[in-house]
Amino acid sequence: MTDSRSAKRCDIGMVGLGVMGRNFVLNMADNGFSVAGYDLDEAKVNALREAAQGRAVEAVGSLPDFVALLDVPRAVMMLVPAGKVVDQVIKDLLPHLTPGDVIIDAGNSYFEDTDLRARALADKGIHYLGVGVSGGEEGARHGPSIMPGGPRTAYDRVRPILEAAAAKVDDRPCVAYLGPGSAGHFVKMVHNGIEYGAMQLIAESYDLMKRGLGLSDDAMHDAYGAFNDGELNGYLVQITSDIFSRADDETDKRLIDEILDAAKQKGTGMWTSQIAMTLQAPAPTIDVAVAMRNLSAAQSQRDSAGKAFEREVRSYEGDRDGLLAQLRGALYAGMVITYAQGMALLKAASEAYAYHLDLQEVARIWRGGCIIRAALLQDIRTAYRNEPELTNPLFDETIATKVQAHDGDLRRVVCVAAELGVPTPGLMTALAYLDAFASDWLPANLIQAQRDYFGAHSYERVDMKGTFHTRWEVDEAKR
């Protein structure tokens, strides 16, 4: 490493040298690019300097020095917390940038904020890319899934860097230009929503194994390992198996049994649920996953309710191996249904916001590096490759056949869980969604009648065109 004032200009700069930022810098450097890193925290600057020995990396704590290190036109990536921090970084950068420079927001920014920032910066001649990055600490270091959106010309400038740093599947980088504006951050938001849903389903299967079947941590390690060897193969299932074998450094117990049962969140799942409702693209499994995180955090209320209702989870007395096999099928069906809800939301958003998403490409770049990578994504990718305008993956014959094959497993597991008192709202909601989605009649006619009765909201008829209203309370003769 050299003094920042005499160093050769760098290909790209990174603002934010926390774990993700530092690892992404090292990733880009290992792939042949020179990188400048900047952070106000001197300890983080020094940590990068120490980790980057022998690489084409410069780490500084001065913003002018940082900008001076960058080749012109400049490319500056941010990996900082979403919200006000992003706006502050942009404000600090602007006096040092010139028209033609590119700012890359690689954090989990809300997509509407990305659109606002992009428009404001475009007026100043600065390009703005909203780029979703998934893979956590390990992905940032060795290859994440990268979801870019924004001006195509700006993406093409940094494309070689992103392709080099991304995870690879079948020798192809898990990155693709997704569309204009906030397309990249929207796709990452939905990715995280699917992640919420998948994690909730796995947690419910764990509860049923632990409290319903009475399985030990070793047995659950083996069970999820077996799940991962089949159609449920995926990163989240794999790490779940690993978790049950990890010993606690502080005690002689397994670490999982020492972790408080209160799940935190950073908002992306909630955003997914909110926008799904706005676009009328139902994603109820994601909705309930968000709700259950909120409920898990209400520890004192749960303690009081447990005393008031005196509920006790009962042990399953039937064929345990048989139920475990059915749980495997139920979890697979629930997973596919959750991914399908997310993909259907992306389709609706693509039309509403003119993203022009290639959903086959979305499924492809999710197959490596990211948290929700799973074997089932290959079926989803094939479905959209065969029918790009597919509104929901459940319409694909192959996917529908596989889900239908586990329909009985899902029903059985939901029934058993209800009988035992094990809460499985995610699995229950996945089943209810499938039943409603596949129903050619729903009781919404009664809801319309009720709305017309109390609010004169009108209704449509099945036997004639038009909009109708009935004076329900005064028309006694027709009762």
Side-chain angles (χ1 to χ4, degrees), residues 294-306:
N294 292 335
L295 189 56
S296 78
Q299 183 70 59
S300 61
Q301 293 184 52
R302 290 194 288 120
D303 289 343
S304 298

Side-chain angles (χ1 to χ4, degrees), residues 10 20 35 48 55-56 122 141 223 246 258 268 271 284 328-329 339 346 402 408 415 422 427:
C10 295
M20 286 290 289
V35 189
L48 176 59
R55 297 177 176 85
R141 182 66 185 87
R246 178 61 185 264
E258 302 305 306
T268 48
W271 295 344
R328 180 178 188 160
Y339 279 70
L346 287 178
K402 289 184 177 182
C415 288
V422 175
L427 290 168

Side-chain angles (χ1 to χ4, degrees), residues 58-290:
E58 298 292 336
V60 296
S62 161
L63 191 55
D65 285 352
F66 168 73
V67 176
L69 283 166
L70 303 178
D71 197 10
V72 179
R74 304 170 187 86
V76 180
M77 179 180 287
M78 301 181 292
L79 263 170
V80 298
K84 294 181 179 179
V85 178
V86 174
D87 291 318
Q88 186 60 54
V89 170
I90 293 172
K91 181 180 178 181
D92 292 343
L93 279 171
L94 273 177
H96 305 281
L97 301 182
T98 54
D101 290 346
V102 177
I103 297 177
I104 305 163
D105 179 2
N108 283 329
S109 289
Y110 186 54
F111 76 101
E112 290 184 347
D113 292 341
T114 299
D115 283 327
L116 289 173
R117 290 165 184 151
R119 286 193 292 269
L121 288 168
D123 291 341
K124 302 178 185 298
I126 306 296
H127 305 295
Y128 194 70
L129 293 174
V131 177
V133 177
S134 176
E137 178 180 350
E138 183 72 12
R141 182 66 185 87
H142 299 291
S145 175
I146 305 176
M147 296 154 256
R152 181 61 190 251
T153 54
Y155 168 71
D156 286 339
R157 276 178 43 197
V158 298
R159 176 177 177 177
I161 301 175
L162 297 183
E163 288 188 343
K168 309 297 188 296
V169 173
D170 299 329
D171 295 324
R172 295 186 65 190
C174 293
V175 56
Y177 176 74
L178 296 178
S182 56
H185 275 155
F186 193 98
V187 170
K188 178 54 165 48
M189 177 187 71
V190 174
H191 164 287
N192 285 20
I194 294 172
E195 180 183 305
Y196 273 58
M199 291 171 73
Q200 176 64 29
L201 295 177
I202 295 171
E204 291 174 10
S205 70
Y206 156 54
D207 194 359
L208 193 54
M209 287 186 198
K210 180 181 177 67
R211 295 198 290 176
L213 296 178
L215 298 188
S216 67
D217 290 332
D218 283 337
M220 287 185 283
H221 164 75
D222 292 341
Y224 286 110
F227 286 6
N228 192 55
D229 286 338
E231 58 191 353
L232 271 169
N233 174 263
Y235 176 72
L236 286 170
V237 176
Q238 171 204 320
I239 67 169
T240 300
S241 176
D242 294 344
I243 284 168
F244 286 105
S245 64
R246 178 61 185 264
D248 178 23
D249 293 336
E250 305 297 326
T251 69
D252 59 355
K253 301 176 181 179
R254 294 295 169 87
L255 180 57
I256 183 64
D257 299 317
E258 302 305 306
I259 297 175
L260 184 68
D261 60 329
K264 293 180 170 54
Q265 54 187 311
K266 292 186 176 180
T268 48
M270 178 184 68
W271 295 344
T272 304
S273 290
Q274 289 171 337
I275 202 62
M277 292 179 186
T278 298
L279 296 178
Q280 299 181 33
T285 313
I286 297 171
D287 299 341
V288 80
V290 176

Side-chain angles (χ1 to χ4, degrees), residues 17 39-49 59-61:
L17 300 179
D39 201 293
L40 288 171
D41 187 335
E42 185 178 354
K44 292 178 181 177
V45 173
N46 290 332
L48 176 59
R49 286 175 178 159
V60 296

Side-chain angles (χ1 to χ4, degrees), residues 201-467:
L201 295 177
I202 295 171
E204 291 174 10
S205 70
Y206 156 54
D207 194 359
L208 193 54
M209 287 186 198
K210 180 181 177 67
R211 295 198 290 176
L213 296 178
L215 298 188
S216 67
D217 290 332
D218 283 337
M220 287 185 283
H221 164 75
D222 292 341
Y224 286 110
F227 286 6
N228 192 55
D229 286 338
E231 58 191 353
L232 271 169
N233 174 263
Y235 176 72
L236 286 170
V237 176
Q238 171 204 320
I239 67 169
T240 300
S241 176
D242 294 344
I243 284 168
F244 286 105
S245 64
R246 178 61 185 264
D248 178 23
D249 293 336
E250 305 297 326
T251 69
D252 59 355
K253 301 176 181 179
R254 294 295 169 87
L255 180 57
I256 183 64
D257 299 317
E258 302 305 306
I259 297 175
L260 184 68
D261 60 329
K264 293 180 170 54
Q265 54 187 311
K266 292 186 176 180
T268 48
M270 178 184 68
W271 295 344
T272 304
S273 290
Q274 289 171 337
I275 202 62
M277 292 179 186
T278 298
L279 296 178
Q280 299 181 33
T285 313
I286 297 171
D287 299 341
V288 80
V290 176
M292 289 305 291
R293 290 202 189 188
N294 292 335
L295 189 56
S296 78
Q299 183 70 59
S300 61
Q301 293 184 52
R302 290 194 288 120
D303 289 343
S304 298
K307 295 173 184 176
F309 290 97
E310 297 182 347
R311 306 180 76 84
E312 183 176 348
V313 173
R314 294 176 289 282
S315 297
Y316 182 66
E317 301 297 336
D319 177 6
R320 281 172 163 72
D321 290 339
L323 184 62
L324 193 60
Q326 290 177 317
L327 180 57
R328 180 178 188 160
L331 183 57
Y332 172 78
M335 287 283 203
V336 174
I337 292 167
T338 302
Y339 279 70
Q341 291 171 13
M343 298 304 290
L345 172 55
L346 287 178
K347 175 64 175 174
S350 183
E351 295 174 356
Y353 303 124
Y355 289 147
H356 308 294
L357 294 174
D358 182 344
L359 294 180
Q360 181 270 144
E361 278 287 87
V362 172
R364 181 188 70 79
I365 67 175
W366 283 354
R367 292 176 62 226
C370 77
I371 303 302
I372 64 168
R373 61 186 186 267
L376 64 85
L377 280 164
Q378 182 55 45
D379 284 340
I380 294 176
R381 180 190 177 195
T382 301
Y384 282 105
R385 186 167 55 199
N386 293 339
E387 180 48 68
E389 298 305 313
L390 198 65
T391 56
N392 190 308
L394 294 176
F395 284 123
D396 177 75
E397 183 177 356
T398 297
I399 293 174
T401 299
K402 289 184 177 182
V403 171
Q404 189 64 24
H406 293 298
D407 181 88
D409 295 332
L410 185 54
R411 292 182 191 281
R412 174 62 175 157
V413 166
V414 164
C415 288
V416 169
E419 291 169 355
L420 298 180
V422 175
T424 55
L427 290 168
M428 290 177 176
T429 301
L431 176 59
Y433 173 86
L434 180 62
D435 284 343
F437 187 67
S439 179
D440 61 1
W441 180 87
L442 291 172
N445 57 333
L446 176 57
I447 295 172
Q448 281 302 93
Q450 291 169 331
R451 293 180 71 243
D452 190 56
Y453 193 117
F454 66 69
H457 293 296
S458 77
Y459 56 86
E460 295 174 281
R461 297 178 61 96
V462 298
D463 56 349
M464 62 183 74
K465 297 288 185 182
T467 301

